[in-house]
Amino acid sequence: MDLNNIDTIVSIARECLQIQSKAISTLAEALDKHFYELIIKIHHAKENIFFTGIGKSGLISQKIVATLNSIGIRAFFLNAVDALHGDIGKVKSNDIVICISKSGNTPELVTLTKHLQNFDVLLSAWTSDNHSRLAKLVDIHIQTPIENEVSEDNLIPTTSTALQLCLGDALAVCLLELKNFRLDHLALFHPSGQIGKQLTLTIGQMISERDPSSVKPKTPLKHVIIEISKKRLGATVVINHSKIVGIITDGDIRRTMEHHDSLIGLNAQDIMTLNPIMMHQNTLAKDALIEMKKKKINQLIVHNDRLISIGLLHIMDFIKEGL
């Protein structure tokens, strides 16, 4: 293959995605009452839910477990090999065990499932073959139909794992709806990272211990410029007797210079923008950013319950937070 041929590489990638896309569409059409039964069983489950698989299917199982945990559903990954050497003791009566396998004939999973039949648990399997050994051993079988993997040798798990992953996501989304999962629930399980910030970070928290930037209405323009340069926010708040009366941005100063030969004699009140856009300190940062983009502004005044300015945020502050 010519590694310098961009079209060839892109063509291969597109074919890969098209094959997987077609397989996912086939899976969507194949879902039936068995999927519904599994969803209802999990929704009403009082005990633990285990996912197990070997190799790449095992990795997919771990991802599904992580997704379910993130929405408050108690799920665990069960290493099939370790389970056959004692870890099967983790499984208790009324648990649910879901085996993920492309072929449905993986020896370790078949052996594990046979032993689990001695437990009072619900057994499910996701395989590509309705007539596989696993399909015949479990209570609920869900077919993940696949014609071929993407790789030419049809051996490397690609399309099969894509289907398993998508089925896991579909399972999670259905359970989300049944649980009436709300944003405050999501925030509870995602206190950190980008999701956590979008759900919990407020603009008041972003201000932290930053020294507020402000001037008075009669502050000479020269000192206004010094204040804006000093705080490096591209703007300053105009305050009169603790009340927010305006804002001055570096853009206001540039426009003033375009229309005046001299800045001598000009004060803050002469060039400030009245009725500036401001938000309460408890406003979520993600909501504030949306509003700033909508209003096409780069600075935002943050106020407290008494409408007193506690600081100024620049749009770059939101970018630094990863929002």
Side-chain angles (χ1 to χ4, degrees), residues 149-176:
E149 301 286 7
V150 172
S151 59
E152 291 184 1
D153 55 19
N154 196 34
L155 294 176
I156 300 176
T158 47
T159 307
S160 58
T161 49
L163 292 185
Q164 295 165 357
L165 183 62
C166 288
L167 185 59
D169 287 342
L171 180 107
V173 171
C174 288
L175 292 170
L176 270 176

PDB file of all heavy atoms in Angstrom, residues 149-176:
ATOM      1  N   GLU A 149     -16.482  -9.329   9.959  1.00  0.00           N
ATOM      2  CA  GLU A 149     -15.698  -8.278  10.595  1.00  0.00           C
ATOM      3  C   GLU A 149     -15.147  -7.385   9.485  1.00  0.00           C
ATOM      4  O   GLU A 149     -15.162  -7.756   8.303  1.00  0.00           O
ATOM      5  CB  GLU A 149     -14.540  -8.891  11.402  1.00  0.00           C
ATOM      6  CG  GLU A 149     -14.974  -9.847  12.496  1.00  0.00           C
ATOM      7  CD  GLU A 149     -15.569  -9.132  13.704  1.00  0.00           C
ATOM      8  OE1 GLU A 149     -15.765  -7.904  13.653  1.00  0.00           O
ATOM      9  OE2 GLU A 149     -15.849  -9.811  14.703  1.00  0.00           O
ATOM     10  N   VAL A 150     -14.638  -6.233   9.844  1.00  0.00           N
ATOM     11  CA  VAL A 150     -14.101  -5.319   8.837  1.00  0.00           C
ATOM     12  C   VAL A 150     -12.797  -5.838   8.249  1.00  0.00           C
ATOM     13  O   VAL A 150     -12.534  -5.685   7.055  1.00  0.00           O
ATOM     14  CB  VAL A 150     -13.894  -3.916   9.447  1.00  0.00           C
ATOM     15  CG1 VAL A 150     -13.161  -3.013   8.463  1.00  0.00           C
ATOM     16  CG2 VAL A 150     -15.238  -3.299   9.832  1.00  0.00           C
ATOM     17  N   SER A 151     -11.983  -6.471   9.078  1.00  0.00           N
ATOM     18  CA  SER A 151     -10.685  -6.933   8.598  1.00  0.00           C
ATOM     19  C   SER A 151     -10.838  -8.029   7.550  1.00  0.00           C
ATOM     20  O   SER A 151     -11.798  -8.801   7.560  1.00  0.00           O
ATOM     21  CB  SER A 151      -9.856  -7.488   9.778  1.00  0.00           C
ATOM     22  OG  SER A 151     -10.539  -8.563  10.399  1.00  0.00           O
ATOM     23  N   GLU A 152      -9.898  -8.095   6.610  1.00  0.00           N
ATOM     24  CA  GLU A 152      -9.976  -9.041   5.507  1.00  0.00           C
ATOM     25  C   GLU A 152      -9.986 -10.491   5.980  1.00  0.00           C
ATOM     26  O   GLU A 152     -10.623 -11.345   5.371  1.00  0.00           O
ATOM     27  CB  GLU A 152      -8.799  -8.827   4.541  1.00  0.00           C
ATOM     28  CG  GLU A 152      -8.879  -7.508   3.770  1.00  0.00           C
ATOM     29  CD  GLU A 152      -7.762  -7.379   2.753  1.00  0.00           C
ATOM     30  OE1 GLU A 152      -6.941  -8.310   2.644  1.00  0.00           O
ATOM     31  OE2 GLU A 152      -7.699  -6.347   2.063  1.00  0.00           O
ATOM     32  N   ASP A 153      -9.283 -10.792   7.080  1.00  0.00           N
ATOM     33  CA  ASP A 153      -9.232 -12.167   7.561  1.00  0.00           C
ATOM     34  C   ASP A 153     -10.485 -12.555   8.346  1.00  0.00           C
ATOM     35  O   ASP A 153     -10.656 -13.709   8.720  1.00  0.00           O
ATOM     36  CB  ASP A 153      -7.984 -12.395   8.422  1.00  0.00           C
ATOM     37  CG  ASP A 153      -7.890 -11.395   9.572  1.00  0.00           C
ATOM     38  OD1 ASP A 153      -8.924 -10.791   9.914  1.00  0.00           O
ATOM     39  OD2 ASP A 153      -6.792 -11.236  10.120  1.00  0.00           O
ATOM     40  N   ASN A 154     -11.356 -11.566   8.601  1.00  0.00           N
ATOM     41  CA  ASN A 154     -12.611 -11.790   9.318  1.00  0.00           C
ATOM     42  C   ASN A 154     -12.371 -12.350  10.718  1.00  0.00           C
ATOM     43  O   ASN A 154     -13.216 -13.049  11.281  1.00  0.00           O
ATOM     44  CB  ASN A 154     -13.532 -12.744   8.540  1.00  0.00           C
ATOM     45  CG  ASN A 154     -14.974 -12.711   9.041  1.00  0.00           C
ATOM     46  OD1 ASN A 154     -15.464 -11.662   9.465  1.00  0.00           O
ATOM     47  ND2 ASN A 154     -15.639 -13.847   9.014  1.00  0.00           N
ATOM     48  N   LEU A 155     -11.211 -12.041  11.290  1.00  0.00           N
ATOM     49  CA  LEU A 155     -10.862 -12.579  12.602  1.00  0.00           C
ATOM     50  C   LEU A 155     -10.784 -11.499  13.686  1.00  0.00           C
ATOM     51  O   LEU A 155     -11.217 -11.708  14.813  1.00  0.00           O
ATOM     52  CB  LEU A 155      -9.530 -13.337  12.523  1.00  0.00           C
ATOM     53  CG  LEU A 155      -9.529 -14.616  11.671  1.00  0.00           C
ATOM     54  CD1 LEU A 155      -8.117 -15.198  11.625  1.00  0.00           C
ATOM     55  CD2 LEU A 155     -10.505 -15.648  12.239  1.00  0.00           C
ATOM     56  N   ILE A 156     -10.204 -10.352  13.334  1.00  0.00           N
ATOM     57  CA  ILE A 156     -10.012  -9.299  14.329  1.00  0.00           C
ATOM     58  C   ILE A 156     -11.357  -8.677  14.697  1.00  0.00           C
ATOM     59  O   ILE A 156     -12.082  -8.201  13.819  1.00  0.00           O
ATOM     60  CB  ILE A 156      -9.063  -8.209  13.793  1.00  0.00           C
ATOM     61  CG1 ILE A 156      -7.705  -8.817  13.459  1.00  0.00           C
ATOM     62  CG2 ILE A 156      -8.911  -7.090  14.814  1.00  0.00           C
ATOM     63  CD1 ILE A 156      -6.741  -7.846  12.835  1.00  0.00           C
ATOM     64  N   PRO A 157     -11.732  -8.700  15.986  1.00  0.00           N
ATOM     65  CA  PRO A 157     -13.018  -8.133  16.407  1.00  0.00           C
ATOM     66  C   PRO A 157     -13.112  -6.637  16.098  1.00  0.00           C
ATOM     67  O   PRO A 157     -12.339  -5.840  16.629  1.00  0.00           O
ATOM     68  CB  PRO A 157     -13.024  -8.383  17.919  1.00  0.00           C
ATOM     69  CG  PRO A 157     -12.076  -9.510  18.130  1.00  0.00           C
ATOM     70  CD  PRO A 157     -11.004  -9.312  17.108  1.00  0.00           C
ATOM     71  N   THR A 158     -13.999  -6.286  15.216  1.00  0.00           N
ATOM     72  CA  THR A 158     -14.216  -4.883  14.851  1.00  0.00           C
ATOM     73  C   THR A 158     -15.723  -4.604  14.816  1.00  0.00           C
ATOM     74  O   THR A 158     -16.260  -3.968  15.714  1.00  0.00           O
ATOM     75  CB  THR A 158     -13.584  -4.566  13.480  1.00  0.00           C
ATOM     76  OG1 THR A 158     -13.954  -5.599  12.545  1.00  0.00           O
ATOM     77  CG2 THR A 158     -12.068  -4.515  13.561  1.00  0.00           C
ATOM     78  N   THR A 159     -16.360  -5.128  13.802  1.00  0.00           N
ATOM     79  CA  THR A 159     -17.806  -4.939  13.692  1.00  0.00           C
ATOM     80  C   THR A 159     -18.533  -5.581  14.870  1.00  0.00           C
ATOM     81  O   THR A 159     -19.492  -5.012  15.405  1.00  0.00           O
ATOM     82  CB  THR A 159     -18.332  -5.550  12.378  1.00  0.00           C
ATOM     83  OG1 THR A 159     -17.584  -5.018  11.282  1.00  0.00           O
ATOM     84  CG2 THR A 159     -19.799  -5.224  12.183  1.00  0.00           C
ATOM     85  N   SER A 160     -18.092  -6.748  15.294  1.00  0.00           N
ATOM     86  CA  SER A 160     -18.755  -7.446  16.398  1.00  0.00           C
ATOM     87  C   SER A 160     -18.699  -6.649  17.694  1.00  0.00           C
ATOM     88  O   SER A 160     -19.697  -6.522  18.418  1.00  0.00           O
ATOM     89  CB  SER A 160     -18.133  -8.829  16.606  1.00  0.00           C
ATOM     90  OG  SER A 160     -16.749  -8.726  16.869  1.00  0.00           O
ATOM     91  N   THR A 161     -17.535  -6.065  17.997  1.00  0.00           N
ATOM     92  CA  THR A 161     -17.418  -5.284  19.221  1.00  0.00           C
ATOM     93  C   THR A 161     -18.159  -3.958  19.110  1.00  0.00           C
ATOM     94  O   THR A 161     -18.661  -3.437  20.103  1.00  0.00           O
ATOM     95  CB  THR A 161     -15.941  -5.039  19.565  1.00  0.00           C
ATOM     96  OG1 THR A 161     -15.250  -4.549  18.403  1.00  0.00           O
ATOM     97  CG2 THR A 161     -15.268  -6.314  20.040  1.00  0.00           C
ATOM     98  N   ALA A 162     -18.238  -3.435  17.876  1.00  0.00           N
ATOM     99  CA  ALA A 162     -19.008  -2.203  17.670  1.00  0.00           C
ATOM    100  C   ALA A 162     -20.483  -2.448  17.992  1.00  0.00           C
ATOM    101  O   ALA A 162     -21.149  -1.616  18.626  1.00  0.00           O
ATOM    102  CB  ALA A 162     -18.852  -1.709  16.231  1.00  0.00           C
ATOM    103  N   LEU A 163     -21.001  -3.595  17.575  1.00  0.00           N
ATOM    104  CA  LEU A 163     -22.385  -3.947  17.858  1.00  0.00           C
ATOM    105  C   LEU A 163     -22.600  -4.139  19.358  1.00  0.00           C
ATOM    106  O   LEU A 163     -23.610  -3.681  19.916  1.00  0.00           O
ATOM    107  CB  LEU A 163     -22.768  -5.231  17.118  1.00  0.00           C
ATOM    108  CG  LEU A 163     -22.856  -5.165  15.592  1.00  0.00           C
ATOM    109  CD1 LEU A 163     -23.364  -6.491  15.034  1.00  0.00           C
ATOM    110  CD2 LEU A 163     -23.776  -4.042  15.154  1.00  0.00           C
ATOM    111  N   GLN A 164     -21.668  -4.805  20.012  1.00  0.00           N
ATOM    112  CA  GLN A 164     -21.797  -5.020  21.453  1.00  0.00           C
ATOM    113  C   GLN A 164     -21.813  -3.692  22.205  1.00  0.00           C
ATOM    114  O   GLN A 164     -22.612  -3.492  23.133  1.00  0.00           O
ATOM    115  CB  GLN A 164     -20.636  -5.889  21.943  1.00  0.00           C
ATOM    116  CG  GLN A 164     -20.638  -7.299  21.380  1.00  0.00           C
ATOM    117  CD  GLN A 164     -19.302  -8.006  21.575  1.00  0.00           C
ATOM    118  OE1 GLN A 164     -18.347  -7.423  22.094  1.00  0.00           O
ATOM    119  NE2 GLN A 164     -19.228  -9.273  21.173  1.00  0.00           N
ATOM    120  N   LEU A 165     -20.930  -2.798  21.777  1.00  0.00           N
ATOM    121  CA  LEU A 165     -20.848  -1.486  22.422  1.00  0.00           C
ATOM    122  C   LEU A 165     -22.142  -0.700  22.227  1.00  0.00           C
ATOM    123  O   LEU A 165     -22.678  -0.105  23.167  1.00  0.00           O
ATOM    124  CB  LEU A 165     -19.671  -0.702  21.847  1.00  0.00           C
ATOM    125  CG  LEU A 165     -19.393   0.670  22.458  1.00  0.00           C
ATOM    126  CD1 LEU A 165     -19.041   0.544  23.925  1.00  0.00           C
ATOM    127  CD2 LEU A 165     -18.273   1.370  21.698  1.00  0.00           C
ATOM    128  N   CYS A 166     -22.656  -0.706  20.996  1.00  0.00           N
ATOM    129  CA  CYS A 166     -23.891   0.031  20.700  1.00  0.00           C
ATOM    130  C   CYS A 166     -25.082  -0.559  21.445  1.00  0.00           C
ATOM    131  O   CYS A 166     -25.954   0.180  21.909  1.00  0.00           O
ATOM    132  CB  CYS A 166     -24.164   0.019  19.197  1.00  0.00           C
ATOM    133  SG  CYS A 166     -23.042   1.060  18.244  1.00  0.00           S
ATOM    134  N   LEU A 167     -25.122  -1.881  21.570  1.00  0.00           N
ATOM    135  CA  LEU A 167     -26.207  -2.522  22.304  1.00  0.00           C
ATOM    136  C   LEU A 167     -26.141  -2.127  23.779  1.00  0.00           C
ATOM    137  O   LEU A 167     -27.178  -1.885  24.415  1.00  0.00           O
ATOM    138  CB  LEU A 167     -26.115  -4.040  22.155  1.00  0.00           C
ATOM    139  CG  LEU A 167     -27.263  -4.846  22.770  1.00  0.00           C
ATOM    140  CD1 LEU A 167     -28.598  -4.442  22.155  1.00  0.00           C
ATOM    141  CD2 LEU A 167     -27.032  -6.346  22.573  1.00  0.00           C
ATOM    142  N   GLY A 168     -24.929  -2.039  24.307  1.00  0.00           N
ATOM    143  CA  GLY A 168     -24.769  -1.599  25.691  1.00  0.00           C
ATOM    144  C   GLY A 168     -25.242  -0.174  25.888  1.00  0.00           C
ATOM    145  O   GLY A 168     -25.887   0.156  26.890  1.00  0.00           O
ATOM    146  N   ASP A 169     -24.945   0.685  24.921  1.00  0.00           N
ATOM    147  CA  ASP A 169     -25.402   2.074  25.001  1.00  0.00           C
ATOM    148  C   ASP A 169     -26.927   2.148  24.917  1.00  0.00           C
ATOM    149  O   ASP A 169     -27.561   2.938  25.628  1.00  0.00           O
ATOM    150  CB  ASP A 169     -24.778   2.901  23.878  1.00  0.00           C
ATOM    151  CG  ASP A 169     -23.297   3.172  24.104  1.00  0.00           C
ATOM    152  OD1 ASP A 169     -22.835   3.035  25.258  1.00  0.00           O
ATOM    153  OD2 ASP A 169     -22.586   3.509  23.135  1.00  0.00           O
ATOM    154  N   ALA A 170     -27.508   1.340  24.040  1.00  0.00           N
ATOM    155  CA  ALA A 170     -28.967   1.311  23.910  1.00  0.00           C
ATOM    156  C   ALA A 170     -29.610   0.856  25.214  1.00  0.00           C
ATOM    157  O   ALA A 170     -30.625   1.401  25.648  1.00  0.00           O
ATOM    158  CB  ALA A 170     -29.371   0.381  22.765  1.00  0.00           C
ATOM    159  N   LEU A 171     -29.001  -0.132  25.841  1.00  0.00           N
ATOM    160  CA  LEU A 171     -29.479  -0.625  27.122  1.00  0.00           C
ATOM    161  C   LEU A 171     -29.458   0.487  28.169  1.00  0.00           C
ATOM    162  O   LEU A 171     -30.436   0.702  28.896  1.00  0.00           O
ATOM    163  CB  LEU A 171     -28.599  -1.793  27.574  1.00  0.00           C
ATOM    164  CG  LEU A 171     -28.956  -2.439  28.915  1.00  0.00           C
ATOM    165  CD1 LEU A 171     -29.593  -3.809  28.677  1.00  0.00           C
ATOM    166  CD2 LEU A 171     -27.726  -2.604  29.793  1.00  0.00           C
ATOM    167  N   ALA A 172     -28.349   1.222  28.223  1.00  0.00           N
ATOM    168  CA  ALA A 172     -28.197   2.300  29.205  1.00  0.00           C
ATOM    169  C   ALA A 172     -29.211   3.415  28.971  1.00  0.00           C
ATOM    170  O   ALA A 172     -29.809   3.941  29.919  1.00  0.00           O
ATOM    171  CB  ALA A 172     -26.773   2.859  29.152  1.00  0.00           C
ATOM    172  N   VAL A 173     -29.420   3.782  27.717  1.00  0.00           N
ATOM    173  CA  VAL A 173     -30.364   4.863  27.399  1.00  0.00           C
ATOM    174  C   VAL A 173     -31.792   4.479  27.781  1.00  0.00           C
ATOM    175  O   VAL A 173     -32.541   5.288  28.335  1.00  0.00           O
ATOM    176  CB  VAL A 173     -30.286   5.220  25.900  1.00  0.00           C
ATOM    177  CG1 VAL A 173     -31.403   6.185  25.527  1.00  0.00           C
ATOM    178  CG2 VAL A 173     -28.934   5.846  25.578  1.00  0.00           C
ATOM    179  N   CYS A 174     -32.157   3.237  27.519  1.00  0.00           N
ATOM    180  CA  CYS A 174     -33.496   2.765  27.902  1.00  0.00           C
ATOM    181  C   CYS A 174     -33.676   2.824  29.416  1.00  0.00           C
ATOM    182  O   CYS A 174     -34.722   3.238  29.919  1.00  0.00           O
ATOM    183  CB  CYS A 174     -33.720   1.338  27.409  1.00  0.00           C
ATOM    184  SG  CYS A 174     -33.928   1.196  25.623  1.00  0.00           S
ATOM    185  N   LEU A 175     -32.653   2.411  30.143  1.00  0.00           N
ATOM    186  CA  LEU A 175     -32.722   2.439  31.599  1.00  0.00           C
ATOM    187  C   LEU A 175     -32.763   3.869  32.124  1.00  0.00           C
ATOM    188  O   LEU A 175     -33.403   4.152  33.143  1.00  0.00           O
ATOM    189  CB  LEU A 175     -31.530   1.687  32.192  1.00  0.00           C
ATOM    190  CG  LEU A 175     -31.540   0.175  31.939  1.00  0.00           C
ATOM    191  CD1 LEU A 175     -30.207  -0.448  32.334  1.00  0.00           C
ATOM    192  CD2 LEU A 175     -32.678  -0.488  32.702  1.00  0.00           C
ATOM    193  N   LEU A 176     -32.078   4.779  31.416  1.00  0.00           N
ATOM    194  CA  LEU A 176     -32.139   6.198  31.770  1.00  0.00           C
ATOM    195  C   LEU A 176     -33.579   6.696  31.750  1.00  0.00           C
ATOM    196  O   LEU A 176     -34.038   7.393  32.659  1.00  0.00           O
ATOM    197  CB  LEU A 176     -31.303   7.030  30.782  1.00  0.00           C
ATOM    198  CG  LEU A 176     -29.840   7.285  31.097  1.00  0.00           C
ATOM    199  CD1 LEU A 176     -29.195   8.032  29.940  1.00  0.00           C
ATOM    200  CD2 LEU A 176     -29.701   8.104  32.375  1.00  0.00           C
TER     201      LEU A 176
END
